[in-house]
Amino acid sequence: MSFTVEDLRLTPSFGKVFCEPSWRWNTVGRPFDDYDLWYVWSGEGEVILNGVHRPVSAGSCFLFRPGDETVGRHDERSPLTISYIHFQMPLEASCHYPFYHQIKDRLTFETYMTR
């Protein structure tokens, strides 16, 4: 089965967040019910996704899936700036995409993200 862009459905939940120094994020016990593309513009921190720890910095990009439980925190001296885009797509399509990717061509990716 093949999937196209028409299979994606954006939700009204998206934005860019400049995290306050005391920022923490925790979805344990209330996991996602949709997909979330989560991109780090700047800062340093850590995301724990379903028990797996991963350091994050500029260019870190996650695909959170329905059911995922996440914990996020950052270095208060280097707070995170992130964008998030919630969307829906067929569950079978998500197996084709990794949960984490470090964006190498940040200029091109960030140009698309600002659109």
Side-chain angles (χ1 to χ4, degrees), residues 35-94:
Y35 293 87
D36 182 16
L37 179 70
W38 199 81
Y39 178 71
V40 177
W41 294 83
S42 63
E44 295 179 0
E46 176 185 44
V47 166
I48 303 167
L49 173 59
N50 301 322
V52 177
H53 293 249
R54 177 159 306 269
V56 297
S57 60
S60 294
C61 188
F62 288 85
L63 174 61
F64 300 124
R65 295 170 168 82
D68 281 350
E69 294 186 326
T70 57
V71 174
R73 53 185 162 250
H74 64 173
D75 181 338
E76 293 180 3
R77 297 165 298 184
S78 183
L80 292 174
T81 299
I82 59 112
S83 283
Y84 63 94
I85 304 170
H86 284 263
F87 61 96
Q88 297 174 343
M89 71 178 177
L91 187 59
E92 309 82 45
S94 71

